[in-house]
Amino acid sequence: MQVNKRLSVRLILSVLAIGLLGFTDIMLETALNVSFPILMVEFNITSSTVQWLTSGVILLTSMVVILSPWLKKRFTNRSQFLVATVISICGVLINAMSGHFGWILFGRLLQGIGGGVGLPLMYNVIFEQVPEQKRGTMVGLGSLIISFAPAIGPAFGGFLTQNYDWHMVFWVVLPIQVASLILGWFTIKQVSPLTKEKLDLIGWLLLSTFFIAGIFVIERISTHGVANYFSISLLIIMVLGLIGYLVYASRVRQPLLNPAIFRFRVFSLSIIAAFITQIVNLTFNYAVPMVLQIVLFKNSQVAGLALLPGALGYAIMAIVSGRLYDRFGARFPVTIGLVLMVIGTILMASMPVSLYGMTLNFMVIQLGAGFWFGNNMAHAVSHVPVEYQSVGNSIFSATSNYAAAVGIAMSAGIISIFQKNAHSTAEMINTTYIGSQWVSRLDVILICLASALSLHALMSVSRKNK
């Protein structure tokens, strides 16, 4: 339902308010990533444990995201936003004042709930209230807000951790969330009618089982291999969760996430490509700071600054490519994005490890990601019937978050496998380097596969329109 043909200031500000909620959640995630080596020492934990400050949050976010279609029908946009923001603020306060790892993880999980509501809500507002001829630009604006978080997060977190303390990261974020709460209160509006639809609890539990088991499968296999009882059991649980939901959804009138949307080839190909690409993207967000600090002896501030050019490039290209989408369609910006991501990933896997080399290669990857991510989603969701678009938004948001958790868990797990054999500082440096190289080599294979799927999705629409 698009209520007018022009963009009002209020609509733009409402997207900004919701986007700020997702912005702060992602900024905290990337800001903490560069502090992981410090947190590992402070709390005496391993890299596979500390990564749950990110993976655990992303997992919970994914579980909340899949509730988005029901939340959209049952509660107003503003009420969803206000509750999610208050919960997130509580989590930020807990982290700002806590010095125990368990409480820090709990606070981050609360922030994950806020992010799980905010991300799909922003895109629901865009697809519901923005006219189609302006949609690419507004998706670009939303992506700009969200993607600006990793642009400043690593440098922001590295600077505060190096010069003050990692707790300061949360104190700085707190006023941003309060400002977002006030702005959203006055600008977010409701244009679609609400219904008294009941929560599909069984469907949600089945999907949550799939998500939770999947994350543990990746972490377990990457650290212990697949040839053990626990890994096989987790894999079986994950598969049963997915199959159980598909069977269940086919027998109910209004499933939580309607799997019928996957009948549309452009959507199914695009969502698989997005899942794989996000895995690749997050492996580098985890591995690059780890390598710079452990292998090259850079401090957390330098490690954060190394990610800054790439993340800024992502943010700028998100809005630029949105304008290109509105003017030329999806093919041009999507193709540019794929080419840049493939080149950057190959360079990351083949060039010697150095500060400037990793900074440059990461920037190339992120420039491509900025061209590709938002336009891939806009293209896929715009080519399904209107009644499926809310489901499509939720699936994209859940997939993005879940893939991020998989990427971090995979990267942390592979590096941990090699680090386990280290018994001295020199061995730790060498094994971290070798582990990161294997991560990059795997990423080359994955990004080439994602590119093939994405191009196939573009061609499937082109053939249909002829």
Side-chain angles (χ1 to χ4, degrees):
M1 178 179 179
Q2 297 164 16
V3 295
N4 54 61
K5 298 295 183 181
R6 303 176 67 180
L7 295 178
S8 66
V9 174
R10 178 174 178 171
L11 176 57
I12 295 174
L13 290 177
S14 68
V15 172
L16 174 63
I18 304 170
L20 282 175
L21 178 59
F23 166 85
T24 52
D25 179 63
I26 296 173
M27 186 172 71
L28 286 172
E29 171 192 321
T30 55
L32 283 179
N33 280 352
V34 298
S35 303
F36 278 178
I38 294 173
L39 295 175
M40 289 165 60
V41 173
E42 181 172 335
F43 296 111
N44 192 29
I45 54 179
T46 64
S47 58
S48 60
T49 299
V50 75
Q51 61 91 20
W52 280 102
L53 288 176
T54 297
S55 295
V57 174
I58 293 174
L59 177 58
L60 184 61
T61 299
S62 300
M63 294 169 61
V64 175
V65 162
I66 60 181
L67 293 173
S68 177
W70 174 74
L71 292 172
K72 182 179 183 296
K73 296 175 183 177
R74 187 70 176 78
F75 303 100
T76 66
N77 293 333
R78 190 168 72 163
S79 63
Q80 291 180 58
F81 171 78
L82 295 178
V83 171
T85 306
V86 170
I87 292 174
S88 185
I89 288 174
C90 291
V92 170
L93 284 170
I94 289 173
N95 286 148
M97 296 183 291
S98 177
H100 187 274
F101 181 76
W103 279 107
I104 294 168
L105 180 58
F106 176 68
R108 289 288 293 131
L109 291 176
L110 291 179
Q111 294 153 37
I113 295 175
V117 174
L119 290 173
L121 178 60
M122 181 181 69
Y123 289 113
N124 282 338
V125 169
I126 290 174
F127 280 90
E128 181 181 67
Q129 301 181 27
V130 175
E132 187 170 357
Q133 63 269 26
K134 300 288 186 180
R135 192 172 291 168
T137 300
M138 286 301 293
V139 169
L141 174 62
S143 298
L144 172 64
I145 297 169
I146 298 300
S147 60
F148 196 65
I152 67 172
F156 162 78
F159 173 79
L160 292 178
T161 301
Q162 185 69 26
N163 296 283
Y164 298 96
D165 180 71
W166 57 266
H167 290 90
M168 186 61 67
V169 174
F170 297 96
W171 286 117
V172 174
V173 162
L174 184 60
I176 300 176
Q177 290 206 337
V178 173
S180 170
L181 181 68
I182 296 171
L183 183 61
W185 174 274
F186 289 105
T187 59
I188 297 173
K189 65 179 181 178
Q190 185 73 20
V191 298
S192 59
L194 300 178
T195 64
K196 296 291 185 180
E197 184 174 324
K198 292 183 178 181
L199 173 62
D200 182 7
L201 184 59
I202 295 177
W204 182 74
L205 289 174
L206 288 170
L207 282 174
S208 296
T209 299
F210 166 71
F211 281 125
I212 294 171
I215 291 295
F216 278 102
V217 162
I218 295 296
E219 196 275 335
R220 178 74 183 183
I221 290 177
S222 62
T223 54
H224 296 84
V226 70
N228 60 81
Y229 175 79
F230 193 51
S231 296
I232 294 174
S233 298
L234 287 171
L235 188 61
I236 292 173
I237 293 172
M238 181 187 75
V239 173
L240 289 177
L242 179 60
I243 294 176
Y245 179 77
L246 294 176
V247 172
Y248 171 79
S250 66
R251 298 182 178 181
V252 297
R253 188 172 60 87
Q254 291 182 322
L256 189 62
L257 294 180
N258 194 340
I261 192 173
F262 289 99
R263 293 202 304 258
F264 302 98
R265 180 180 293 271
V266 62
F267 183 85
S268 57
L269 291 172
S270 297
I271 197 69
I272 296 172
F275 180 79
I276 297 173
T277 303
Q278 183 73 330
I279 289 177
V280 173
N281 205 33
L282 266 292
T283 60
F284 289 125
N285 272 279
Y286 176 88
V288 169
M290 186 72 70
V291 170
L292 290 177
Q293 292 178 79
I294 294 179
V295 177
L296 300 183
F297 303 105
K298 306 300 180 181
N299 60 42
S300 59
Q301 183 174 344
V302 173
L305 288 171
L307 301 181
L308 181 60
L312 281 174
Y314 184 113
I316 295 170
M317 290 305 105
I319 189 68
V320 171
S321 65
R323 297 296 298 272
L324 292 175
Y325 178 95
D326 287 337
R327 186 171 182 180
F328 301 109
R331 181 182 293 272
F332 181 52
V334 164
T335 303
I336 292 176
L338 292 173
V339 170
L340 289 174
M341 286 191 290
V342 170
I343 291 174
T345 306
I346 292 174
L347 289 174
M348 190 73 82
S350 58
M351 289 181 62
V353 170
S354 68
L355 173 61
Y356 295 111
M358 297 187 83
T359 301
L360 176 62
N361 297 336
F362 184 75
M363 182 176 68
V364 174
I365 294 169
Q366 293 305 293
L367 287 172
F371 267 98
W372 187 81
F373 270 104
N375 291 315
N376 176 66
M377 184 188 75
H379 181 250
V381 176
S382 294
H383 284 86
V384 300
V386 174
E387 61 268 24
Y388 287 103
Q389 288 185 352
S390 176
V391 173
N393 290 332
S394 299
I395 293 175
F396 260 99
S397 296
T399 298
S400 177
N401 281 279
Y402 188 58
V406 171
I408 292 171
M410 183 182 76
S411 183
I414 292 174
I415 292 175
S416 292
I417 289 174
F418 291 92
Q419 288 177 337
K420 283 181 179 179
N421 299 320
H423 301 290
S424 66
T425 301
E427 289 180 349
M428 175 63 76
I429 295 170
N430 186 52
T431 54
T432 301
Y433 168 75
I434 294 172
S436 68
Q437 289 297 102
W438 277 103
V439 170
S440 296
R441 292 165 187 164
L442 178 59
D443 284 338
V444 171
I445 298 173
L446 292 175
I447 199 64
C448 289
L449 175 60
S451 298
L453 293 170
S454 182
L455 292 173
H456 191 26
L458 289 175
M459 290 187 292
S460 68
V461 173
S462 299
R463 288 194 296 266
K464 184 177 179 181
N465 293 333
K466 288 182 178 179

